[in-house]
Amino acid sequence: MKSSLILLTMLLVFVFNSCSQNMGPSNLIGGGCEGCEVVNQCPVPFSKLNWTDTLPDYHETGPKIVISGTIYQADAKTPAKDIVMYMYHTDQTGHYTNRNNESGMAGRHGYIKGWLKTNATGQYKFYTLKPVAYPNRKAPAHIHPVIKEPGINEYYIDEFVFDEDPLLTASEKGKLEQRGGSGIVHLQFKNGLYEASRDIVLGLNIPNYPSKKN
């Protein structure tokens, strides 16, 4: 009896250690991402998300922008429906201001954040103000996007950055990983706001992304 308990204990330890190793950041799809888990703190169930969203800052003072596009499956041809995208960015002072007394990473991301889910043809669209670069930093202004596909963990893709930004130097462009494709967008002023488009390919340049998904 005693030997059986010892063997059972050893087996449980082995299974626990194996699971812990398999779930390490280096083995996660996307290689792990600090803060990406906030995508799961959506204020409504994913099933109720729309393919468009208006971020909380849109009606404040600043340059209004709308960014739209299509998210494709890994073949870069098939539109991907029901893909959740979470995005957040700085306010007009270049800070992630926490107005809602949120804790943890949600608080660090500030109040300017939103969620959407692609429609049957893979389309998405969101309205916001153009973010401002961090004070006294060389990084260009940007919008952070996080992707959540059904059945796999969340991961980040290249930030939305703006091609006319003087801080988007050749050196900064060289740092871009092309995760999901290029995040550089071009703003055009139409109908009272700036419009830009970006298509996204799931799994493109994403570490550990499965070659085939059920």
Side-chain angles (χ1 to χ4, degrees):
M1 181 70 177
K2 185 176 180 181
S3 59
S4 297
L5 289 174
I6 293 174
L7 288 173
L8 178 60
T9 301
M10 292 176 64
L11 178 61
L12 289 174
V13 170
F14 173 78
V15 170
F16 176 79
N17 288 336
S18 297
C19 290
S20 299
Q21 291 173 5
N22 291 334
M23 291 301 291
S26 63
N27 294 312
L28 287 173
I29 294 171
C33 171
E34 185 181 19
C36 283
E37 67 274 9
V38 180
V39 66
N40 297 305
Q41 299 178 27
C42 185
V44 301
F46 286 168
S47 61
K48 296 186 180 299
L49 287 174
N50 202 334
W51 70 280
T52 65
D53 190 31
T54 301
L55 274 61
D57 65 329
Y58 184 68
H59 297 292
E60 300 175 7
T61 301
K64 298 182 185 299
I65 65 174
V66 56
I67 299 178
S68 61
T70 300
I71 297 181
Y72 293 97
Q73 296 287 357
D75 62 6
K77 297 178 181 179
T78 307
K81 68 175 183 177
D82 296 336
I83 304 301
V84 173
M85 183 163 68
Y86 163 67
M87 50 277 176
Y88 67 98
H89 64 77
T90 59
D91 61 18
Q92 296 301 291
T93 69
H95 297 90
Y96 298 104
T97 303
N98 184 359
R99 286 187 179 177
N100 302 317
N101 296 318
E102 294 180 287
S103 60
M105 279 296 177
R108 289 176 60 181
H109 288 183
Y111 77 99
I112 305 174
K113 51 179 172 274
W115 289 259
L116 54 80
K117 183 177 68 174
T118 57
N119 61 17
T121 56
Q123 294 174 301
Y124 74 89
K125 180 187 293 185
F126 64 91
Y127 296 82
T128 188
L129 296 183
K130 183 182 178 184
V132 171
Y134 304 139
N136 303 316
R137 297 279 293 276
K138 295 181 178 180
H142 55 276
I143 299 173
H144 296 276
V146 175
I147 296 294
K148 180 66 177 75
E149 301 182 45
I152 66 175
N153 63 265
E154 59 276 3
Y155 58 87
Y156 73 91
I157 58 174
D158 269 22
E159 299 159 351
F160 292 87
V161 291
F162 308 94
D163 64 357
E164 78 284 0
D165 190 334
L167 293 177
L168 187 61
T169 61
S171 175
E172 288 294 326
K173 289 180 180 178
K175 298 177 183 179
L176 302 178
E177 300 177 81
Q178 304 294 314
R179 293 172 61 115
S182 175
I184 301 175
V185 299
H186 175 69
L187 294 173
Q188 293 183 301
F189 192 75
K190 295 181 180 179
N191 303 316
L193 75 166
Y194 292 92
E195 299 180 1
S197 64
R198 175 190 181 182
D199 291 340
I200 296 165
V201 178
L202 297 175
L204 182 61
N205 298 318
I206 302 299
N208 303 323
Y209 194 82
S211 57
K212 294 182 180 180
K213 294 198 303 150
N214 295 324

